[in-house]
């Protein structure tokens, strides 16, 4: 049966000549977004417009209308604006009028993070921004960027993984990509919305340092990149609902991050309009109840728009509050130029083919090869092999659900893509017999999860899925497991029993084509994990977070159940999230952050650090050489971590501070250069409330993953006298 080992050398010769590469070396030429109308001018224009409006008319502006719109006044030249989800493409709501006729389903944002390709993040987001323009969408309700604290979070697929530095670099590029098209990007969900388990009833309790080092950096990067809207989250942060928390909005967002544009609530998440108004919220979405959801009288007092007049009469809010809210909103739209041109521009429809290519390229670069025993992959198309395809997501594509869901078009199933790539060599059997499994030369086994907004799902797979893998592996040693999931899953029980594991995330409408290319070797896999995958959920930093008397659910009814008492989630692990946690606790994850195999190999050498003794204002220049030592062209993402050797506070053993993606033909090497600033050595000091680098020794660690450090050097930072 096992013909696999006999054809490998021939395959490599073939592969070396045909291997197509995902991308060039990625160097970020990042520049923040500058809006067409400057802040001061927009502010003045908003002020003079608002002079014409009565109080009642102003009140109409500060709450949403028709679920996804803001109020327009033709007589004053104020258009109504359409807001639409989300980070992985435009969610088409057929119940609304004038929808864009189609939208591209991109690989999920976590897959985008697995590419570690900031240029691609910008292109991906630019495509989505263009589709917004084609559909008349003024405000994209994304990017989402809540950090991966627990693998069970049902919305992890919408976000950018566990590391604040990686997430920040992707987000800043995402924001500039969307906004370069004239579409406003919304950073969401602010803040600490790291689980969807009864998300409207959870209270995230986190300290100042943890917020600044872990949960704020991606938002900060988005703000610095010029994002013009922020959406608050459903949960409480340190005892108050985010949408009405002065600490969250006025202190953290406005004061600490310096955000000056539009702050909106998540849908139905204001409970006390006075608090929300005083906390600094500008826009309550969607502003009203809808049938079957918050439509009882009990909830009437929660809406800002419908209560504002009464609150004004009762002197509980002031006219200035309303003015501020309406002005922030109008100034944001004016600054983006939305009062000076139409939002809708159907000429962008001609770019959809390009968007589809961007989606495909993202999928190519996102696939993470976790295991490849005896180089079972790639499969040689010309070999005489019987490849059996089976499993869950062969005929229907795996995707994340909720507001982020994008239907897509030109959908390619796994079956279509593999058949196109391999022809008759692939035999699909939905329910193969034991004989059929053992007779095959190789099995491609598809498994996955359906992750969804509104609830979490267990890290452990259902028993039937685990049994499927184990039973198949017991009959055939050449099982390649293809995982479609929006987060980490438990693979511990069968990892060592299968020949290969390919993590394909939710790959979008054409992602299975990329999968087939990776399996055939046309594309050399280059994705690296933006998350750690633990052996068991109990190992993870966020365990336990679900109240003892509660169990998993998967329906919207429970999501909006307001009778559940608010439950606290203590972020006791502090800054030790993801690999920072596993390393400090000496727990081996099954697969570490930053890990991913290639069909080639890379050597790291010759690390030089200039200057090893630095003082304030100086930079540390780090150089080393990477060589492709295999037989095919490949892409490596090199990672730079720092370690504070002599810190006065407890710090992680590693903190990512740089990465670069490099394409190298076989046998070739390249010099890689990083420049580190003092900020890169710093931690958030709770005494001074700022970033501080202490003098002393730091290690510079260069690696192929967080657990595979190849080169190390020490630097000494001296404070000036
Ligand atoms: C989600 C947001 C989304 C909004 C509008 C909410 O349920 O949490 O992410 O943007 O709905 O669809």
């Amino acid at each position: 049966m096992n013909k696999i080992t006999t054809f490998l050398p021939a395959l490599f010769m073939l592969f070396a000549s045909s291997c197509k590469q995902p991308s060039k070396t990625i160097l970020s030429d990042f520049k923040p977004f500058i809006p067409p109308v400057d802040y001061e001018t927009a502010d003045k224009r908003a002020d003079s417009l608002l002079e014409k409006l009565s109080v009642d008319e102003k009140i109409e502006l500060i709450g949403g209308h028709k679920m996804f719109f803001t109020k327009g006044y033709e007589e004053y030249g104020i258009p109504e604006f359409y807001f639409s989800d989300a980070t992985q493409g435009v969610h088409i709501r057929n119940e609304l009028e004038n929808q864009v006729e189609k939208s591209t389903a991109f690989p999920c944002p976590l897959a985008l993070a697995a590419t570690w390709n900031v240029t691609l993040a910008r292109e991906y987001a630019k495509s989505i921004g263009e589709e917004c323009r084609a559909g008349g969408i003024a405000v994209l309700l994304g990017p989402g960027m809540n950090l991966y604290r627990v693998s069970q979070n049902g919305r992890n697929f919408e976000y950018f993984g566990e590391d604040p530095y990686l997430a920040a670099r992707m987000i800043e590029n995402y924001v500039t990509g969307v906004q370069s098209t004239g579409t406003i990007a919304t950073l969401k969900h602010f803040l600490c919305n790291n689980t969807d388990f009864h998300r409207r009833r959870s209270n995230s309790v986190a300290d100042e340092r943890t917020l600044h080092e872990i949960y704020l950096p991606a938002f900060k990067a988005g703000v610095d990149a010029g994002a013009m809207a922020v959406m608050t989250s459903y949960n409480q942060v340190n005892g108050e609902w985010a949408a009405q928390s002065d600490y969250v909005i006025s202190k953290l967002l406005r004061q600490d991050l310096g955000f000056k544009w539009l702050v909106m609530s998540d849908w139905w998440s204001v409970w006390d309009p006075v608090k929300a108004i005083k906390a600094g919220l500008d826009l309550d979405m969607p502003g009203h109840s809808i049938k079957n959801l918050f439509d009882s009288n009990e909830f009437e007092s929660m809406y800002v728009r419908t209560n504002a007049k009464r609150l004004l009469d009762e002197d509980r809010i002031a006219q200035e509050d309303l003015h501020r809210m309406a002005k922030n909103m109008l100034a944001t739209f004016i600054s983006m130029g939305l009062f000076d041109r139409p939002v809708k521009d159907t000429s962008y429809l001609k770019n959809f083919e390009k968007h589809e290519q961007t989606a495909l390229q993202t999928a190519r670069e996102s696939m993470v090869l976790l295991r490849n025993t005896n180089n079972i992959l790639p499969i040689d198309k010309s070999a005489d092999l019987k490849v059996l395809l089976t499993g869950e997501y062969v005929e229907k594509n795996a995707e994340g659900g909720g507001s982020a869901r994008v239907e897509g078009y030109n959908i390619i199933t796994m079956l279509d893509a593999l058949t196109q790539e391999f022809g008759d060599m692939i035999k699909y059997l939905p329910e193969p017999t034991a004989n059929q499994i053992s007779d095959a030369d190789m099995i491609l086994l598809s498994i996955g999860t359906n992750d969804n907004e509104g609830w979490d799902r267990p890290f452990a797979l259902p028993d039937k899925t685990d049994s499927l893998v184990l039973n198949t592996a017991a009959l055939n040693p050449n099982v390649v497991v293809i995982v479609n999931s929006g987060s980490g899953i438990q693979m511990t029980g069968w990892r060592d029993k299968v020949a290969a594991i390919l993590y394909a995330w939710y790959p979008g409408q054409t992602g299975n084509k990329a999968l087939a290319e990776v399996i055939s070797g046309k594309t050399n896999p280059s994705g690296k994990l933006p998350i750690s995958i633990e052996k068991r959920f109990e190992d993870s930093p966020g365990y336990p977070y679900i109240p003892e008397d509660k169990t998993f659910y998967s329906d919207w009814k429970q999501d909006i159940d307001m009778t559940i008492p608010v439950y606290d989630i203590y972020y006791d692990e502090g800054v030790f999230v993801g690999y920072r946690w596993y390393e400090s606790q000496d727990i081996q994850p099954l697969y570490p952050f930053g890990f991913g195999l290639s069909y080639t190999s890379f050597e790291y050498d010759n690390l030089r650090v200039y200057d090893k003794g630095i003082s304030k204002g100086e930079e540390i220049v780090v150089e080393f050489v990477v060589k492709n030592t295999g037989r095919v062209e490949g892409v490596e993402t090199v990672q730079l971590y720092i370690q504070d050797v002599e810190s006065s506070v407890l710090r992680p053993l590693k903190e990512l501070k740089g990465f670069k993606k490099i394409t190298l033909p076989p046998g070739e090497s390249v010099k890689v250069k990083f420049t580190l600033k003092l900020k890169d050595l710093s931690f958030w000091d709770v005494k001074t409330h700022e970033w501080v680098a202490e003098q002393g020794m730091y290690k510079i660690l260069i690696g192929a993953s967080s657990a595979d450090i190849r080169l190390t050097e020490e630097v000494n930072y001296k404070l000036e006298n």
Side-chain angles (χ1 to χ4, degrees):
M1 184 194 71
N2 188 358
K3 295 185 199 162
I4 303 290
T5 42
T6 55
F7 66 81
L8 281 174
L11 171 59
F12 263 111
M13 295 315 292
L14 169 127
F15 178 57
S17 57
S18 69
C19 185
K20 182 149 65 72
Q21 275 322 302
S23 65
K24 299 260 178 314
T25 301
I26 308 301
L27 294 169
S28 177
D29 52 347
F30 176 77
K31 283 195 198 74
F33 172 78
I34 312 282
V37 179
D38 68 63
Y39 179 75
E40 285 69 29
T41 312
D43 202 55
K44 280 202 196 96
R45 271 176 73 181
D47 258 340
S48 58
L49 258 175
L50 285 170
E51 269 171 26
K52 301 181 200 151
L53 270 68
S54 68
V55 173
D56 287 343
E57 286 170 331
K58 272 188 203 171
I59 288 175
E60 289 299 303
L61 286 176
I62 60 176
H65 291 256
K66 299 181 287 178
M67 280 292 283
F68 293 99
F69 292 83
T70 53
K71 174 82 180 162
Y73 289 106
E74 230 175 279
E75 59 277 37
Y76 305 123
I78 301 177
E80 77 170 14
F81 291 110
Y82 175 22
F83 294 26
S84 181
D85 291 290
T87 318
Q88 60 186 2
V90 174
H91 177 122
I92 297 180
R93 297 184 191 271
N94 291 320
E95 73 277 13
L96 301 177
E97 288 166 12
N98 295 324
Q99 291 288 302
V100 65
E101 61 195 58
K102 60 181 183 184
S103 69
T104 308
F106 287 83
C108 67
L110 193 59
L112 177 59
T115 71
W116 297 59
N117 184 338
V118 293
T119 312
L120 194 55
R122 205 180 312 157
E123 198 52 41
Y124 172 120
K126 182 166 173 267
S127 312
I128 294 170
E130 290 185 348
E131 297 197 4
C132 287
R133 293 298 306 275
I137 295 158
V139 179
L140 178 77
L141 299 170
M145 64 191 74
N146 294 101
L147 220 85
Y148 187 102
R149 177 173 181 266
V150 288
S151 48
Q152 300 190 152
N153 179 8
R155 294 189 87 171
N156 279 334
F157 74 93
E158 295 185 51
Y159 307 143
F160 289 80
E162 74 183 32
D163 183 77
Y165 183 86
L166 173 61
R169 301 291 76 79
M170 299 304 275
I171 288 299
E172 64 196 7
N173 283 283
Y174 192 108
V175 165
T176 52
V178 171
Q179 295 201 160
S180 68
T181 69
T183 305
I184 291 172
T186 307
L187 310 176
K188 72 181 188 186
H189 310 86
F190 197 74
L191 188 66
C192 290
N193 185 186
N194 309 103
T195 163
D196 252 30
F197 187 79
H198 294 298
R199 55 186 168 161
R200 287 181 170 89
R201 307 306 294 161
S202 63
N203 173 32
S204 303
V205 185
D207 63 50
E208 176 188 333
R209 181 176 162 212
T210 303
L211 292 179
H212 281 275
E213 287 191 27
I214 303 295
Y215 298 99
L216 285 170
F219 285 98
K220 165 110 178 81
V223 170
D224 291 348
M228 299 183 79
V230 169
M231 184 193 294
T232 53
S233 54
Y234 281 123
N235 52 291
Q236 293 190 354
V237 180
N238 294 334
E240 182 56 274
W241 305 107
Q244 54 190 52
S245 161
D246 186 59
Y247 175 64
V248 168
I249 302 176
S250 296
K251 169 80 173 83
L252 294 175
L253 181 60
R254 297 270 192 219
Q255 190 182 316
D256 293 356
L257 302 195
F259 183 71
K260 52 188 181 190
W261 306 106
L262 171 67
V263 183
M264 74 181 87
S265 69
D266 200 344
W267 271 232
W268 302 284
S269 66
V270 168
W271 303 105
D272 180 338
V274 178
K275 276 191 184 174
I277 292 168
K278 296 292 180 190
L281 190 79
D282 300 320
L283 176 63
D284 171 30
M285 290 303 282
H288 53 89
S289 58
I290 55 162
K291 210 157 176 41
N292 301 328
L293 188 68
F294 299 116
D295 64 347
S296 85
N297 290 341
E298 194 188 335
F299 297 111
E300 269 317 306
S301 61
M302 70 195 250
Y303 304 108
V304 168
R305 177 158 63 79
T306 49
N307 288 286
K309 192 67 200 311
R310 176 179 58 83
L311 298 170
L312 204 54
D313 294 343
E314 291 169 4
D315 268 347
R316 296 173 65 198
I317 57 168
Q319 292 231 18
E320 295 77 58
D321 295 321
L322 301 176
H323 185 83
R324 182 214 80 226
M325 296 170 84
K327 190 174 77 164
N328 280 348
M329 188 171 89
L330 293 187
T332 301
F333 296 141
I334 292 169
S335 184
M336 185 47 111
L338 306 185
F339 278 59
D340 305 323
R341 58 159 169 89
V343 173
K344 189 160 184 151
D345 183 347
T346 49
S347 70
Y348 282 109
L349 285 169
K350 68 176 183 314
N351 295 357
F352 274 47
E353 254 175 56
K354 199 169 155 226
H355 302 165
E356 205 179 25
Q357 285 310 310
T358 302
L360 176 60
Q361 184 61 17
T362 307
R364 282 185 184 125
E365 297 191 37
S366 73
M367 306 268 157
V368 185
L369 183 62
L370 291 177
R371 182 174 171 83
N372 196 19
T373 322
N374 296 328
N375 293 326
I376 190 168
L377 293 179
I379 304 176
D380 181 359
K381 286 207 281 192
S382 61
D384 178 22
L385 289 176
K386 280 190 284 179
V387 181
L388 192 160
L389 171 66
T390 190
E392 218 174 334
Y393 295 100
V394 175
E395 292 179 277
K396 59 168 191 230
N397 284 10
E399 56 179 19
S403 59
R405 179 170 182 262
V406 185
E407 200 174 322
Y409 57 97
N410 290 348
I411 313 276
I412 303 181
T413 64
M414 202 181 281
L415 180 59
D416 295 341
L418 287 167
T419 312
Q420 273 164 30
E421 188 71 27
F422 290 96
D424 291 347
M425 194 173 178
I426 299 280
K427 182 159 187 201
Y428 171 47
L429 293 173
E431 285 178 23
T433 62
N435 277 348
Q436 286 167 325
I437 293 173
S438 50
D439 276 358
D441 294 310
M442 191 188 277
I443 314 283
L444 297 178
L445 176 58
S446 153
I447 63 162
T449 60
N450 284 316
D451 301 352
N452 212 92
E453 173 183 342
W455 47 89
D456 286 3
R457 58 111 178 119
F459 178 62
L461 293 168
D463 289 346
K464 80 171 191 329
T465 312
D466 276 337
S467 308
L468 175 71
V469 180
L470 285 168
N471 294 341
T472 313
L475 292 166
N476 192 313
N478 298 320
V479 176
V480 175
V481 178
I482 300 160
V483 181
N484 284 123
S485 178
S487 192
I489 56 164
Q490 186 170 301
M491 299 180 278
T492 318
W494 45 258
R495 187 266 301 258
D496 293 333
K497 300 191 168 58
V498 299
I501 304 174
L502 186 55
Y503 227 78
W505 315 104
Y506 297 139
Q509 63 187 50
T510 49
N512 283 314
K513 184 169 159 50
L515 176 85
E517 287 177 5
V518 167
I519 291 176
S520 75
K522 264 190 195 161
T523 292
N524 191 346
S526 65
K528 298 233 181 182
L529 287 179
I531 55 175
S532 308
I533 302 184
E534 62 269 34
K535 286 189 178 140
R536 35 176 224 147
F537 186 60
E538 289 81 343
D539 289 346
S540 98
Y543 174 81
Y545 70 102
I546 292 185
E548 272 174 14
D549 60 331
K550 295 271 171 290
T551 46
F552 285 105
Y553 61 92
S554 56
D555 61 83
W556 291 109
K557 216 165 135 244
Q558 299 229 41
D559 173 51
I560 57 161
D561 184 354
M562 291 300 137
T563 62
I564 292 163
V566 171
Y567 72 98
D568 297 325
I569 305 176
Y570 293 100
Y571 288 33
D572 284 342
E573 73 286 357
V575 299
F576 296 91
V577 173
Y579 61 91
R580 290 160 164 82
W581 169 259
Y582 296 106
E583 297 199 344
S584 71
Q585 299 295 307
D586 212 5
I587 299 172
Q588 297 283 320
L590 194 71
Y591 289 108
F593 173 82
F595 176 76
L597 298 170
S598 161
Y599 295 148
T600 188
S601 50
F602 299 95
E603 243 173 48
Y604 292 55
D605 199 8
N606 219 0
L607 174 63
R608 277 159 205 257
V609 177
Y610 317 86
D611 192 352
K612 288 189 194 165
I614 67 151
S615 42
K616 207 167 173 190
E618 292 176 349
E619 289 179 339
I620 307 166
V621 177
V622 178
E623 277 181 3
F624 56 97
V625 174
V626 180
K627 183 175 183 187
N628 181 345
T629 48
R631 279 182 274 186
V632 292
E633 189 167 284
V635 182
E636 175 68 323
T637 298
V638 297
Q639 299 156 42
L640 184 155
Y641 298 84
I642 65 114
Q643 183 187 107
D644 187 347
V645 183
E646 305 175 329
S647 178
S648 68
V649 296
L650 217 51
R651 290 188 69 175
L653 293 168
K654 286 182 197 117
E655 294 169 53
L656 183 73
K657 294 296 170 187
F659 59 87
K660 263 179 196 156
K661 204 165 172 180
I662 291 147
T663 303
L664 274 179
E668 285 197 17
S669 17
V670 70
K671 193 186 270 181
V672 184
K673 182 175 162 185
F674 286 104
T675 307
L676 291 176
K677 298 196 167 53
L678 214 51
K679 167 82 193 300
D680 297 316
L681 305 179
S682 308
F683 65 93
W684 183 266
D685 182 14
V686 292
K687 286 187 229 105
T688 56
H689 309 293
E690 53 189 41
W691 291 95
V692 165
E694 290 178 334
Q695 75 174 327
M697 300 304 287
Y698 292 82
K699 273 189 189 158
I700 310 282
L701 309 160
I702 306 292
S705 85
S706 59
D708 183 10
I709 298 303
R710 308 282 183 90
L711 305 166
T712 306
E713 186 61 270
E714 286 198 341
V715 292
N716 189 9
Y717 166 54
K718 281 187 238 126
L719 283 170
E720 282 162 325
N721 298 325

